Amino acid sequence: QIARKEMWGNLSDPARESFLDTTVVPGEPTKTASTTMPTSSDIPKGGRDDDGNVVQPPPDKFLLLLLNPKHVDYLCLTGDQYRQIDTRDDHTQEWSQQSVNP
């Protein structure tokens, strides 16, 4: 919960505003110009209160997923195509890298 609150506070103002827009429902069709859109007064500017403080707590739809990867397969298909596999050793926690053909 602490990391989630810290990340919420570190978001840019426009990013925070996007989470506070209650008319946006994930998975639902996007709104058209003819659909009633929220007014600027419905969404706190920058996700901040009147004193300029970040609105707390973060809304329920703001989730933070902390990952602890052991294997990363990086593939770049633009320009010079490139693929790299990074693997973390469970005991030493050190990463090894290997370039492979894409």
Side-chain angles (χ1 to χ4, degrees):
Q1 238 359 358
I2 293 172
R4 182 173 167 262
K5 288 180 181 178
E6 286 178 10
M7 184 59 67
W8 174 250
N10 291 334
L11 287 177
S12 68
D13 288 356
R16 254 191 317 277
E17 285 179 17
S18 71
F19 284 100
L20 295 170
D21 184 351
T22 58
T23 64
V24 175
V25 179
E28 293 292 318
T30 55
K31 305 288 185 196
T32 62
S34 62
T35 306
T36 304
M37 297 299 286
T39 63
S40 58
S41 62
D42 294 335
I43 302 170
K45 178 112 174 106
R48 297 177 181 275
D49 62 19
D50 292 337
D51 296 326
N53 299 312
V54 173
V55 173
Q56 293 289 347
D60 290 339
K61 64 182 175 180
F62 176 73
L63 303 176
L64 178 63
L65 178 63
L66 301 175
L67 301 176
N68 190 14
K70 295 180 180 183
H71 180 91
V72 178
D73 190 336
Y74 176 74
L75 176 63
C76 177
L77 295 175
T78 59
D80 292 333
Q81 294 183 354
Y82 179 80
R83 183 176 176 200
Q84 176 176 309
I85 297 177
D86 299 343
T87 307
R88 188 181 66 196
D89 184 276
D90 287 335
H91 296 93
T92 65
Q93 299 299 309
E94 292 183 10
W95 287 89
S96 62
Q97 303 173 347
Q98 181 179 16
S99 294
V100 296
N101 292 323

